[in-house]
Amino acid sequence: MSGSAKRSVTITLDGSNKSVSIPLIEATVGTPVFDIRKLYGDLGVFTYDPGYGGTAACESKITYIDGDEGILLYRGYPIEQLAEKSTFLEVCYLLMEGALPTATQFKDFELGVMRHTMLHEQIREFFNGFRRDAHPMAVMCGVVGALSAFYHDSLDIHDPASRTISAFRLIAKIPTIAAWAYKYNCGQPFMYPQNDLGYAENFLYMFHAVPAEPYKVNPILARAMDLIMILHADHEQNASTSTVRLAGSTGANPFACIAAGIASLWGPAHGGANEAVLKMLAEIGHVKNITGFLSEVKDKGSHTKLMGFGHRVYKNYDPRAKIIQKACHEVLSELGIKDDPLLDLAMELEKIALNDKYFVDRKLYPNVDFYSGIILKAMGFPTSMFTALFAVSRTVGWISQWQEMIADPEQRIGRPRQIYTGAPQRDYVPISTRG
Ligand code: SDX
């Protein structure tokens, strides 16, 4: 643990002579932590924190979030500056290596990634095993997990060279897999990657191009795609990243770990929210229905959530949502879309919710998923692809966090405990004597 401990707290158990000193480890910036690793050994008790709302599962130097101030830093750089000045591939280097690259370092990195964009021809056959209407996230889970069947040369997680080539392969191939999942779904031929295109441009090419005619990616869309990928690249210890770390802590290979992260991201409470926001807006249908819908949300019994709102960490506006909302307006006007009824409805919904005591009291603000679906729909993506696009962007965050965990000398297999409230020990009775 690299943080320093200048302060501590002593816990004494009432009714026993046991006590333990718990050091307080300071962070570079943000919340310090109590290092409770001695608690069970010294006091014989566990801590209880379902959902880990107040638990730090690891030490990390990658991403910092201040939920109260709405701050997001990748390796110390504010997301607003990276969104405006950087590119997704440069952010990939930053997340993985911890520093912005020199021109030479970036050129080598870009070459390293773009040389791995193709899939083994045998992997094409995997797609044929799915129904044409399979959800793209089901395809992504299956095909990414299957990559470990093809790269036996890079499964040694303790070999840094293997970790690096696996990272390059995953970052390079995930857009191809996502684009092919879409092509398979709509019955069009797969388009091979064009390595002379930019990363986001290449993805849009594989997604939209057909063999029957030349296709030029709209630079406005390429820039918007690159921006969306930057915003979704990493986000501290969210559910899918924690899934990748837990799977990786057992020594599972990186392809299996990323497949586990994709599965976790799929849930509507997490990365599936962008798809759920569009469905919610379609259900609301018109501004006049907003008040009725919000009444349903406030009725706990309805189990209806305002999708794209709320966050475990942000108790302020998600900075990514602000950037995406601004990009929405820019992309729509650059595409000549005068007004998008979905965007108008979303903005009115946000305005009403942000002035409603229920949401204000609970500090529920728009998160990254509230506007991302609107811009993706305007860019021509089907709703079913939204979470797959999130997975394409987040793969670099997952692999960076996985690499950090594997290289952490304090890393151990993740094995949470529980409080048991089930039946005490009892003896088996034959069925003939049961009531
Ligand atoms: C992502 O963790 C990350 O970093 C994730 C992510 C990333 O980049 O990896 O940022 C991406 O997953 C964004 C979140 C996308 N999900 C959604 O938009 C789905 C809708 N949001 C909710 O399901 C919810 O807000 C969560 C899951 C995001 C957070 O859940 P929490 O932490 O359990 O919610 P909370 O404790 O802050 O809730 C406080 C109160 C509760 O009500 P009370 O019991 O106090 O009466 O607010 C309520 C909640 O029921 N609440 C909502 C709500 N979110 C919370 N009520 C209505 N609509 C909502 N969206």
Side-chain angles (χ1 to χ4, degrees):
M1 169 76 83
S2 52
S4 61
K6 298 188 186 68
R7 296 178 289 166
S8 66
V9 67
T10 300
I11 298 178
T12 304
L13 209 47
D14 287 349
S16 89
N17 59 356
K18 288 184 178 178
S19 73
V20 60
S21 171
I22 304 280
L24 184 69
I25 312 289
E26 299 297 338
T28 312
V29 58
T31 311
V33 297
F34 280 131
D35 181 344
I36 59 160
R37 284 176 284 186
K38 293 191 333 184
L39 192 66
Y40 178 56
D42 290 6
L43 279 194
V45 298
F46 295 143
T47 58
Y48 179 63
D49 183 18
Y52 312 111
T55 295
C58 65
E59 175 184 355
S60 182
K61 297 175 170 38
I62 299 175
T63 292
Y64 173 70
I65 304 172
D66 181 328
D68 295 327
E69 299 302 319
I71 290 171
L72 170 57
L73 310 177
Y74 288 167
R75 297 286 191 179
Y77 294 95
I79 192 69
E80 294 82 0
Q81 293 182 26
L82 294 170
E84 187 189 336
K85 300 172 182 167
S86 187
T87 63
F88 178 69
L89 262 195
E90 184 179 69
V91 165
C92 287
Y93 184 97
L94 174 65
L95 289 170
M96 285 173 63
E97 302 297 335
L100 289 169
T102 62
T104 308
Q105 288 169 331
F106 181 69
K107 193 168 175 332
D108 293 344
F109 180 77
E110 185 176 37
L111 198 61
V113 170
M114 296 312 282
R115 276 285 154 79
H116 288 284
T117 55
M118 288 175 67
L119 292 172
H120 190 292
E121 275 299 296
Q122 201 66 27
I123 291 180
R124 295 170 67 103
E125 303 315 314
F126 275 96
F127 289 82
N128 294 328
F130 290 96
R131 282 174 41 151
R132 287 282 180 180
D133 62 352
H135 193 287
M137 286 298 276
V139 178
M140 297 273 283
C141 283
V143 175
V144 171
L147 289 178
S148 43
F150 287 80
Y151 298 113
H152 301 291
D153 65 329
S154 63
L155 296 183
D156 176 2
I157 63 168
H158 300 296
D159 169 21
S162 284
R163 298 204 296 266
T164 301
I165 183 66
S166 296
F168 277 168
R169 281 171 168 154
L170 279 157
I171 294 168
K173 296 178 194 305
I174 198 81
T176 310
I177 293 168
W180 285 16
Y182 168 68
K183 287 299 194 186
Y184 183 74
N185 180 264
C186 63
Q188 288 184 357
F190 295 152
M191 295 304 290
Y192 285 103
Q194 301 299 305
N195 293 344
D196 58 339
L197 299 178
Y199 187 90
E201 190 183 9
N202 190 25
F203 171 66
L204 293 175
Y205 170 83
M206 292 187 286
F207 192 88
H208 291 297
V210 289
E213 57 194 43
Y215 182 82
K216 179 95 180 76
V217 176
N218 178 332
I220 298 165
L221 297 186
R223 179 61 195 134
M225 191 74 250
D226 199 80
L227 168 65
I228 290 166
M229 288 177 167
I230 290 173
L231 297 175
H232 288 78
D234 192 54
H235 211 240
E236 201 218 66
Q237 303 311 317
N238 58 84
S240 53
T241 298
S242 301
T243 302
V244 171
R245 278 182 172 259
L246 194 56
S249 74
T250 71
N253 73 71
F255 305 102
C257 294
I258 299 304
I262 294 172
S264 175
L265 184 73
W266 195 357
H270 188 13
N274 51 21
E275 182 175 351
V277 167
L278 266 286
K279 286 186 181 134
M280 173 186 74
L281 292 174
E283 278 164 23
I284 294 172
H286 190 277
V287 171
K288 69 179 188 319
N289 302 327
I290 288 177
T291 308
F293 174 76
L294 291 181
S295 304
E296 189 183 322
V297 168
K298 291 183 255 184
D299 167 16
K300 292 282 185 185
S302 74
H303 303 295
T304 303
K305 293 272 187 194
L306 178 52
M307 300 311 279
F309 259 65
H311 199 278
R312 175 59 57 78
V313 177
Y314 289 122
K315 301 307 171 189
N316 198 329
Y317 216 102
D318 183 334
R320 302 168 297 175
K322 277 186 193 158
I323 298 167
I324 289 190
Q325 194 207 82
K326 180 169 169 286
C328 264
H329 290 290
E330 288 164 2
V331 169
L332 289 170
S333 64
E334 283 160 345
L335 291 175
I337 301 173
K338 288 280 173 288
D339 53 80
D340 178 326
L342 267 184
L343 180 57
D344 296 342
L345 179 59
M347 289 181 67
E348 186 61 21
L349 176 59
E350 174 193 336
K351 195 170 87 183
I352 296 173
L354 291 185
N355 289 288
D356 184 310
K357 191 173 179 316
Y358 181 91
F359 301 96
V360 173
D361 288 354
R362 290 167 175 78
K363 297 185 179 179
L364 301 178
Y365 290 87
N367 59 53
V368 67
D369 293 300
F370 189 65
Y371 286 106
S372 57
I374 294 165
I375 194 170
L376 291 172
K377 186 171 186 303
M379 292 171 68
F381 292 106
T383 309
S384 63
M385 275 299 294
F386 290 177
T387 310
L389 299 179
F390 196 148
V392 168
S393 314
R394 186 54 57 88
T395 292
V396 65
W398 290 330
I399 204 71
S400 302
Q401 298 268 354
W402 172 81
Q403 285 187 317
E404 183 179 64
M405 178 204 64
I406 297 289
D408 181 347
E410 298 201 331
Q411 189 265 325
R412 303 166 64 204
I413 186 168
R415 202 319 187 167
R417 301 304 303 271
Q418 64 175 18
I419 178 167
Y420 178 70
T421 56
Q425 183 167 328
R426 52 185 170 170
D427 295 327
Y428 182 86
V429 291
I431 193 164
S432 58
T433 65
R434 294 174 209 157

